[in-house]
Amino acid sequence: MRETYKYKEQSFQKVVGPVAAIAIGSVCWLNVLPGAAQVANPFRPTTAGKASLKPLPPSSVGPAGIDALRLHQAPYNLTGRKIAIGQVEIGRPGQFGLDKAVAQNRVMALAQVFYRNDRPRTNTHIDPHAQNVASVMISTAKQARGVAPGARLFSSAAGTPRRYGQPEECLSAQHIALQNGGDVRAINFSFGESLRHDPRAKALLDGNALLTLCMDWSTRVHNVLYVVAGNQGRGGISIPTDNYNGINVAFTNRSQNVFSRVDFANLGDPASGALEGIESNVGARRAIGLVAPGNEIATVNPNGTLTLASGSSFAAPHVVGTVALLQEYGDRQLRRQCQKVGCQLPWTVDARQAEVMKAVLLNSADKVADPGNGLNLGMSRTIADKAGRHWLESEAYRDPKIPLNIQMGSGQLNAFRAYRQFSPGQWSPANPVPAIGWDYRTVETAAYRDYRLEKPLKQGSFVSATLTWNRVVELIDTNQSGGYDLGEEFRDRGLNNLDLYLMRQDEENPDNRVAASVSDVDSVEHLFFRVPASGRYKLRVYFRDRVSQPTQPYAIAWWTIPQR
């Protein structure tokens, strides 16, 4: 039995045959019985009619992947506890106590499930794909532990598998964003809409599809980070990967048992023949923000058994789970500090801003393995594109107008490095800032803010800095309900243009900058540059061109190596 959905892998096959997981010693093996359908699963029955066994590959959540398991353990003890995250899909995962399909599944405890913006009917719209994706975020299974097993997951089934369904998908996303008292930190989209089903005349990937506008509107209004399975191209499910305010995620596969290479199934690179506006974004704007593991990921089926799955559908939830881990840490720091002296720097509620999470995740990504001297910021591995090239060999490294690598964005998600980026806290430009940190602030039109690094930088070390801000999208609220309703539209107010410079501290003229990221079209500036000489430096955020509002909120994250 095969059934195709709007999911972000080349094909997805529902598991309808019997699958069993058995433990042999300390190694988990999957036992796929003869005749069982599989999800990107290499386990095959033997010609003798007996099941063949193969060990489960290294976990994508562990050191071979995003290195999140380390954060589950002491002294960090981060599992996403009490943090609300969301999921929107065509179907939904089953919920124990509501759906018979998950009666034997005790390793996934969802906070609540919905059908669009209403309660679901029992045993309806349950989908293995949604279950598999959810398990990457919250599974407590020993052999397939999720990134944030303590997080509270809210999931909605939009229920539109074979037709234009952007209005219903927008309604579902809004409903999830409003859960937990309106405090949902990130929402996963492991599905998409076909451009050819978009009702606009000559529709293009220009950011103006209804679902894309809805997502960018919700990011700003509900303060939630949307994470989208990111392969565009001939897969035909490219909306809403033309968004500005979220993070699109492509996927990597294993090389020598370590996730380190962009998978060939990722689409949308014009260099590989993708058509601009149809199979990639209109113009020079980059789509992919991050890559994450997505090949042969151990996931949990509705009945509690395990299977392997591949695609960007299973990369994106690694990012959402990581947000939950970081937000648990942030809330822990807020409780400690606010109770003692009130919410003051370096920990304020700005730690909950979606732009901060985006900047932190992108800035801490792995690009090029550190040789052991710390000059490459301690990065754990080198990430290669489909042709075997690493970040320093890409146009994103050479051209200041291109902030992100077209195949891998800023690099591969590393949850432990993201923790290291986030944990120093927020620092104001009013005073010198430490070697690693972040900030959330506003800047006025034609003005700038300078972040002076308190210690000189070491020659030959890299500086990594990421600036993020949002496109302004407004809801045309015809019935004045205060929220989106079916039949309503959105208005694009445009994207202001900000730039990011690395300058010597005693320099005021930006023309004499050392390095820069100055894209005219992206909502991200990302600077990754080798320090030419030891000395004192600063980062400058400059509001170059006003398109919408005169005051622009932004987030910035930086990582440097001081001279000792």
Side-chain angles (χ1 to χ4, degrees), residues 42-53:
F43 302 90
R44 297 283 188 264
T46 65
T47 55
K50 296 182 180 179
S52 62
L53 297 176

Side-chain angles (χ1 to χ4, degrees), residues 206-208 212-213 216-217 220 242-245 469-473 492-496 523:
D206 55 6
N208 292 318
T212 303
L213 291 166
D216 282 354
W217 165 77
R220 188 174 60 87
D242 55 338
N243 70 82
Y244 286 78
N245 299 348
W469 67 103
N470 287 335
R471 169 172 73 150
V472 176
V473 175
D492 176 17
R493 291 283 309 281
L495 177 73
N496 286 330
S523 58

Side-chain angles (χ1 to χ4, degrees), residues 402-425:
I402 300 176
L404 300 172
N405 182 290
I406 197 161
Q407 292 186 24
M408 67 179 81
S410 69
Q412 179 164 273
L413 173 70
N414 185 312
F416 187 73
R417 283 178 51 79
Y419 164 81
R420 291 189 61 196
Q421 175 73 74
F422 187 55
S423 58

Side-chain angles (χ1 to χ4, degrees), residues 258-383:
V258 174
F259 286 96
S260 60
R261 185 158 184 161
V262 177
D263 196 283
F264 284 92
N266 292 285
L267 304 169
D269 184 352
S272 301
L275 299 176
E276 180 184 325
I278 297 174
E279 297 175 340
S280 65
N281 281 339
V282 169
R285 187 164 65 92
R286 294 297 165 96
I288 300 301
L290 284 171
V291 293
N295 182 270
E296 293 191 356
I297 305 300
T299 64
V300 181
N301 291 318
N303 64 3
T305 59
L306 304 183
T307 194
L308 297 183
S310 294
S312 57
S313 279
F314 309 101
H318 286 84
V319 179
V320 174
T322 299
V323 170
L325 301 181
L326 299 181
Q327 287 296 297
E328 181 189 359
Y329 178 82
D331 281 7
R332 183 187 297 172
Q333 298 303 109
L334 285 172
R335 285 193 298 272
R336 290 173 178 173
Q337 178 151 319
C338 295
Q339 288 176 357
K340 292 180 181 179
V341 296
C343 294
Q344 302 175 7
L345 295 180
W347 289 102
T348 73
V349 291
D350 288 341
R352 295 174 176 172
Q353 285 296 136
E355 301 100 310
V356 170
M357 283 292 93
K358 184 175 179 178
V360 164
L361 293 170
L362 267 59
N363 203 60
S364 58
D366 277 323
K367 289 182 179 68
V368 181
D370 191 280
N373 56 16
L375 297 183
N376 290 8
L377 309 181
M379 293 183 180
S380 69
R381 73 198 64 176
T382 296
I383 310 302

Side-chain angles (χ1 to χ4, degrees), residues 12 40 80 99 107 110 112 170 172 205 207 238 255 327 363 395 404 458 463 481 501 530 543 546 550:
F12 178 86
D99 304 304
V107 299
L110 284 88
Q112 201 166 356
C170 176
S172 300
L205 292 175
S238 48
S255 176
Q327 287 296 297
N363 203 60
E395 58 183 353
L404 300 172
K458 187 174 182 177
V463 171
S481 68
Y501 304 138
R530 195 183 297 274
F543 190 163
R546 176 187 171 185

Side-chain angles (χ1 to χ4, degrees), residues 483-495:
Y484 173 77
D485 295 291
L486 295 178
E488 292 183 332
E489 300 289 339
F490 295 92
R491 179 187 298 111
D492 176 17
R493 291 283 309 281
L495 177 73

